Amino acid sequence: MAKSRFSPSKFSINEDPLDAVLRPPPDETPDARADRLRREAEAKQVSDEIDESLRQEKAVWKKNKSLFRLLLLGQSESGKSTTLKNFQLTFAPQAWAAERASWRAVVQLNLVHSINLILDVLAQELTANPLQRPRTGAYPYTTSTAAAHTALSTPPSPDSPTGPSFADDVPDISAPLKFTDKHALLKLRLAPLRHVETDLRRLLGAADDATEVIAGCREDMKTLWEDGVVREMLTRLRLRMEDSAGFFLDDVDRIATRTYEPSDDDVVRARLRTVGVQEYQLRFENPGAVDRSVGREWIIYDVGGARSSRAAWVPYFEDANALLFLTPISCFDESLEEDRHVNRLEDSFILWKSVVGSKLLRRCIIVLFLNKYDLLAKKLKAGATINKHLSSYGERENTAPVFAKYLHQKFREQHKEYSPEPRSFYGYVTCVIDTKATASTLSSVRDGLLQQHLQRADLVA
Ligand SMILES: Nc1nc2c(ncn2[C@@H]2O[C@H](COP(=O)(O)OP(=O)(O)OP(=O)(O)O)[C@@H](O)[C@H]2O)c(=O)[nH]1
Ligand SMILES: [Mg+2]
């Protein structure tokens, strides 16, 4: 009778009992042995794979622990994504250059959007007030203007994307009538751009057809934007296209071509709303003065700033090492897009107080950018009055430098009052579409942040 494999007599003091249990029986047949070896090889492979994945997870975890995490916060259109672009342009120029071409569709989309906006306003103006247009009385409403008016409200048919041409029905018109007819025609001619906008939204980055249509509409777009009466209408309605996000109408000649490639400046000025929280890995191509491992790679979180997106910020608070808060200081006379009753500057104050007062962020280094200084200066030059919208400003000088200084002080005071524990305040007045000035600001922000971070780490260690 064969000896039992489990006989205690087989165990020695140095022997692993499990080995003994797993040891093959001495009378194993060649087939059984081959089968066993195959199963063992498979099991080993699975086990190795698990080990490898655990090793990788651990490595990532260890690596991530040493990564520096920066959160970009602020209301919508405060300049967060534009600041992120500046980080890339300044510290990772090669990665930036590789991505630049993919912004072509966004710039095209911005351009087409502006054209559509003007055409919408034009159509609304004609629909709302046909008998009084224009107020100067230089362009009386006549049958031919009525024809134009009808054409403006007729959507183009799918067979004829440019819509019915009414030009042949219009009698030989005199100069005063040119406004409405010419613009109605333009609207019809530019109608395909509506589809381009929809297509581009769907196919960001892969819209060769769109490029073709945009190039084909170049002259029409220029005519519309350079038209004196259109400009008069926009001024009267206080629609300052030049100051709006994603303004490219002055660059139609350059952009509406088949070979258009975006420049650095185009990419920085292009507007693409952020949805949710976007994580960006920034690898410093030139680590610079603070050449420590923590300075080589950052994770930057760029968030959507609209009110509906703000709840999504909170899970990122706990791990954040630093926070860059942007407030657009040109918006003292504007209201939130998502709630017309709320002043944008007021919204920024509330947001700032809740961010600096957050217990989750109490260890975070906070930097403030008082952004859009260029737009503030322009607005005040054009006659806007600060204290009409912000009574606490009182009788101080209605100029950009004085207002910027006032806000800097106000944000600093709130920072001091609401921070759960004392911490330093870093505030900068910025215009983040000025890439040169921003590069120098970001360099000092980066060095300052890393120094603070390392000091804290030394204290903790
Ligand atoms: N003139 C001027 N324009 C700016 C400045 N900063 C940002 N912009 C423009 O403002 C628009 C909005 O900027 P974004 O960076 O997209 O704003 P955001 O904070 O990321 O907005 P959300 O993604 O909606 O939260 C873009 O078209 C920018 O080019 C500035 O300092 N001056
Ligand atoms: Mg954004």
Side-chain angles (χ1 to χ4, degrees):
M1 195 176 139
K3 251 187 174 173
S4 161
R5 287 180 64 203
F6 308 111
S7 160
S9 66
K10 284 186 75 179
F11 296 145
S12 78
I13 196 89
N14 296 319
E15 200 172 40
D16 181 347
L18 196 62
D19 276 345
V21 171
L22 295 177
R23 199 175 294 147
D27 53 354
E28 190 181 36
T29 63
D31 279 349
R33 180 180 147 76
D35 191 37
R36 178 178 55 79
L37 289 178
R38 187 185 46 77
R39 275 187 282 112
E40 281 179 1
E42 279 173 7
K44 184 167 184 320
Q45 195 183 342
V46 170
S47 161
D48 287 350
E49 281 170 7
I50 291 171
D51 284 349
E52 176 58 18
S53 111
L54 285 175
R55 198 190 55 74
Q56 280 180 12
E57 255 178 47
K58 206 169 159 189
V60 168
W61 183 82
K62 266 182 90 176
K63 196 170 144 208
N64 282 353
K65 278 283 282 184
S66 69
L67 283 183
F68 187 83
R69 289 181 166 80
L70 173 70
L71 267 179
L72 298 173
L73 299 186
Q75 66 182 211
S76 187
E77 288 206 26
S78 53
K80 299 178 293 297
S81 301
T82 314
T83 301
L84 172 61
K85 289 179 203 168
N86 277 277
F87 266 108
Q88 295 169 263
L89 182 61
T90 309
F91 299 118
Q94 286 167 32
W96 163 271
E99 266 183 34
R100 194 169 37 214
S102 64
W103 283 89
R104 183 177 71 159
V106 180
V107 176
Q108 291 173 327
L109 176 65
N110 288 172
L111 177 65
V112 172
H113 186 76
S114 299
I115 291 284
N116 283 340
L117 186 78
I118 297 178
L119 292 172
D120 282 346
V121 172
L122 200 60
Q124 267 171 28
E125 278 282 284
L126 287 164
T127 311
N129 245 347
L131 287 168
Q132 292 159 19
R133 278 215 42 85
R135 291 185 310 185
T136 56
Y139 308 100
Y141 187 76
T142 68
T143 45
S144 59
T145 358
H149 184 182
T150 313
L152 276 168
S153 42
T154 311
S157 82
D159 305 333
S160 158
T162 50
S165 167
F166 65 93
D168 293 342
D169 307 334
V170 178
D172 190 18
I173 48 177
S174 56
L177 294 177
K178 269 188 177 159
F179 167 66
T180 46
D181 291 333
K182 190 177 78 177
H183 293 93
L185 267 174
L186 263 179
K187 183 174 164 67
L188 292 174
R189 215 174 293 147
L190 294 176
L193 289 176
R194 302 247 172 221
H195 307 292
V196 174
E197 191 175 355
T198 317
D199 287 351
L200 272 169
R201 282 191 186 285
R202 229 175 338 114
L203 293 167
L204 275 182
D208 285 346
D209 289 353
T211 302
E212 198 62 33
V213 177
I214 291 169
C217 291
R218 182 174 56 241
E219 290 310 315
D220 288 334
M221 289 196 278
K222 267 177 67 178
T223 308
L224 182 72
W225 175 236
E226 287 166 7
D227 188 281
V229 183
V230 166
R231 295 294 181 96
E232 179 271 331
M233 176 189 74
L234 294 173
T235 308
R236 187 164 42 77
L237 296 171
R238 297 202 188 142
L239 264 174
R240 288 189 54 82
M241 301 292 294
E242 297 88 335
D243 300 340
S244 63
F247 172 76
F248 289 103
L249 286 169
D250 280 345
D251 304 288
V252 172
D253 264 339
R254 193 170 54 81
I255 293 172
T257 63
R258 287 172 184 84
T259 52
Y260 167 64
E261 295 295 338
S263 64
D264 286 348
D265 199 46
D266 290 345
V267 178
V268 168
R269 288 192 295 124
R271 163 71 174 149
L272 187 64
R273 183 188 293 272
T274 309
V275 179
V277 177
Q278 306 286 325
E279 181 180 313
Y280 183 80
Q281 210 159 342
L282 178 72
R283 282 204 183 91
F284 289 87
E285 286 168 18
N286 176 8
V290 190
D291 191 9
R292 305 274 281 269
S293 63
V294 73
R296 298 233 174 89
E297 197 167 314
W298 285 13
I299 303 282
I300 304 184
Y301 298 100
D302 180 21
V303 305
R307 279 186 160 185
S308 56
S309 304
R310 294 179 190 171
W313 302 357
V314 181
Y316 296 83
F317 283 6
E318 206 158 0
D319 290 333
N321 300 105
L323 188 156
L324 181 50
F325 186 95
L326 285 107
T327 183
I329 53 176
S330 58
C331 67
F332 63 87
D333 60 347
E334 296 168 24
S335 54
L336 282 184
E337 198 184 307
E338 53 269 46
D339 184 348
R340 293 288 174 203
H341 301 292
V342 179
N343 175 284
R344 287 187 66 190
L345 190 55
E346 197 51 50
D347 178 66
S348 265
F349 283 138
I350 293 170
L351 205 50
W352 173 248
K353 285 186 227 169
S354 61
V355 162
V356 295
S358 161
K359 289 211 169 72
L360 278 175
L361 292 168
R362 71 185 185 287
R363 301 220 176 279
C364 220
I365 311 162
I366 299 186
V367 177
L368 171 73
F369 274 13
L370 297 161
N371 193 35
K372 301 202 174 180
Y373 182 80
D374 59 322
L375 291 180
L376 170 72
K378 258 197 205 171
K379 201 177 247 185
L380 296 180
K381 248 191 184 155
T385 316
I386 301 163
N387 65 9
K388 244 168 74 181
H389 306 273
L390 187 71
S391 53
S392 65
Y393 192 61
E395 292 309 310
R396 292 173 180 83
E397 220 178 86
N398 197 60
T399 59
V402 175
F403 187 47
K405 201 170 162 201
Y406 169 82
L407 288 179
H408 189 274
Q409 183 63 21
K410 197 163 165 127
F411 276 93
R412 175 201 277 274
E413 283 164 9
Q414 290 176 349
H415 176 267
K416 193 170 173 196
E417 185 180 344
Y418 289 90
S419 285
E421 31 189 273
R423 61 179 149 193
S424 308
F425 172 79
Y426 305 93
Y428 298 81
V429 175
T430 57
C431 162
V432 297
I433 55 162
D434 178 344
T435 52
K436 217 170 148 205
T438 308
S440 124
T441 306
L442 289 186
S443 292
S444 68
V445 165
R446 170 180 177 258
D447 292 349
L449 285 179
L450 288 181
Q451 234 165 35
Q452 276 269 329
H453 180 66
L454 293 171
Q455 262 172 22
R456 285 183 183 196
D458 285 347
L459 283 178
V460 174

